[in-house]
Amino acid sequence: MTSTTGDRLLEFDEVVDRYEPVIGLETHVELGTASKMFCGCSTTFGAEPNTQTCPVCLALPGSLPVANAAAIEATIRIGLALGCRIASWSRFARKNYFYPDIPKGYQTSQYDEPLCTAGHLDVEVDGETYRVEIERVHLEEDTGKNLHVGGATGRIQGADHSLVDFNRAGIPLVEIVTRPVPGTGAKAPEVARAYVTELREILLTLGVSEVKMEQGNLRCDVNTSLAPVGSLEWGTRTETKNVNSLRSVERAVRFEMRRQAALLDDGVRIMQETRHFHEDTGSTSAGRSKEEATDYRYFPEPDLVPLAPDAAWIEELRLALPELPPARRARLQEEWGVSGTEMQWLANAGALGLVEQTVAAGASPGDARKWWLGDLARRANEAGVELAELAITPAQVAELAGLVDAGTVNDKLARQVLDGVLAGQGGPAEVVAAQGLAVMGESDELVAAVDAAIAGAPDVVAKVQSGKVQALGALVGAVMKTTRGKADAATVKRMLEERLLAG
Ligand SMILES: [Zn+2]
């Protein structure tokens, strides 16, 4: 079995029969602070290149950094939410490497003295709980962004020239690193996805980041290794960089497992390397080899004072944490009266917040779940996007559910309304008005259609009048057909009964 990328892939079932995966995730989160990590520059996304810079984030000689207190607080809150130990003493360090998008020639990061260590995050997949140990949560700064112009791929190979935008340079970045996660077997791809989903929920709940994966607020590096079942040693891992959607996290792990297993079957050694993920094919390709570890020559940042957060302040932050996702799920499960499995399903589909907002906008919990997990989930899946990326808001879903409740549209018409909304034709009521999608009342048009159905099928009418009332169904069907589904079936049935069975 070969893939379109030329890699030989083993069938997933065969992979998990014979190999044990170990996964690990490194997640970078851009914090939503108003200003950058070490200067006062704005962090607003999408501004003209290089307009949000100053001597500090451009690393001009003589400029000195000052740490952003809001970013430190946000990092500690993330650590607390993940059950981490918060360091009473922590330092920034210089991570030295040269790349055009880091103006200083080093990144200010944390090395052996991170702010938070030893936490965990529990995720549930198919009724099974997996504990993901968190090794560390540390604070650093983002790099600028290179833009390679003139090539087909946007990569540096084949480009005419490159541009660099330093607006992003110095935006506070939190890195959350898990310990290796063994024991997930065939569920490894789903556990990886569930972990990022749950982490994203926590970050959203804390309000520390917008966590828009498509804007790069949340970026994942996914480590995957395989070892033969029963082996006492773990295999060599690859690190798939910058996986930028929940779905891609799952696909990247699955692909790497299948690719590595085929190599191991052939007796080929797995290279320790970084790999690029390709959204279009769901495949990975080789990046930089990591066989020789890069020496970043870390040393403590001499321009910043060490961080020594006060224990009382940490306790205050702990007590002020909002209701976290597991507690929130338990409460909503009770309020909505659904099973634990369905709640987990909602959460893993990224639908929990959407359903909650839809209920808040006036829909019943049942209707909100039906729309998000039914038609909308199917459409998101077909389009290969996350539910939240669909061009419809929870308020619009609630409005649509309201139109069905009020009898303005039936289920079939409601799906056409959905098409209109998703195609950007406006809100549900606007689409109904613009396309004339409302269910027909007892209008002249409907009366005419009912009369025509009766006149067109004397044999059926005779059957109905001789007592075979179920034959009425054929007449209802005929009316629904002439009205192209816009009539209300119950109304049509009542009108037919009045005409054929009265007296
Ligand atoms: Zn600046």
Side-chain angles (χ1 to χ4, degrees), residues 251-264:
R251 292 169 84 204
V253 174
R254 194 175 296 273
F255 182 89
E256 270 304 288
M257 286 173 67
R258 296 183 60 196
R259 186 187 69 84
Q260 291 182 19
L263 291 174
L264 292 171

Side-chain angles (χ1 to χ4, degrees), residues 121-300:
L121 183 59
D122 288 338
V123 297
E124 205 178 299
V125 173
D126 295 338
E128 193 88 32
T129 301
Y130 298 87
R131 171 151 294 196
V132 179
E133 306 276 358
I134 307 289
E135 185 170 294
R136 60 191 279 145
V137 177
H138 76 238
L139 187 52
E140 58 187 32
E141 59 180 337
D142 211 345
T143 62
K145 222 176 197 171
N146 289 328
L147 188 68
H148 305 297
V149 185
T153 58
R155 292 192 194 281
I156 196 162
Q157 291 82 4
D160 289 334
H161 60 279
S162 297
L163 300 167
V164 60
D165 175 7
F166 289 118
N167 283 353
R168 200 179 69 177
I171 289 185
L173 200 62
V174 167
E175 183 171 341
I176 301 161
V177 183
T178 72
R179 295 182 59 77
V181 189
T184 54
K187 299 292 180 198
E190 286 140 295
V191 171
R193 179 188 175 133
Y195 165 78
V196 182
T197 306
E198 183 74 354
L199 182 61
R200 201 176 159 272
E201 287 291 325
I202 289 175
L203 297 166
L204 269 176
T205 306
L206 293 172
V208 294
S209 169
E210 290 190 59
V211 289
K212 287 186 179 149
M213 293 186 87
E214 68 283 6
Q215 284 186 9
N217 294 151
L218 183 74
R219 317 195 283 270
C220 284
D221 300 341
V222 184
N223 296 336
T224 314
S225 71
L226 289 184
V229 167
S231 163
L232 295 175
E233 279 174 38
W234 291 346
T236 304
R237 70 169 195 268
T238 60
E239 183 179 342
T240 307
K241 303 290 281 185
N242 292 329
V243 184
N244 287 336
S245 77
L246 299 174
R247 189 165 161 264
S248 299
V249 169
E250 182 174 339
R251 292 169 84 204
V253 174
R254 194 175 296 273
F255 182 89
E256 270 304 288
M257 286 173 67
R258 296 183 60 196
R259 186 187 69 84
Q260 291 182 19
L263 291 174
L264 292 171
D265 268 8
D266 290 346
V268 178
R269 194 170 71 93
I270 303 297
M271 295 281 287
Q272 186 170 348
E273 62 186 0
T274 63
R275 298 187 65 87
H276 301 293
F277 182 72
H278 305 282
E279 288 284 344
D280 48 352
T281 52
S283 62
T284 68
S285 64
R288 185 160 43 91
S289 166
K290 278 207 164 178
E291 295 286 298
E292 287 163 45
T294 317
D295 181 3
Y296 290 116
R297 294 171 293 120
Y298 281 99
F299 64 86

Side-chain angles (χ1 to χ4, degrees), residues 369-394:
R369 292 202 316 275
K370 186 188 85 173
W371 281 108
W372 285 108
L373 291 186
D375 281 86
L376 289 166
R378 186 168 51 74
R379 280 162 216 242
N381 197 30
E382 280 164 10
V385 298
E386 306 294 334
L387 272 179
E389 292 173 60
L390 288 173
I392 189 164
T393 63

Side-chain angles (χ1 to χ4, degrees), residues 401-414:
L403 291 172
V404 176
D405 271 355
T408 311
V409 292
N410 54 29
D411 278 347
K412 181 161 174 267
L413 291 168

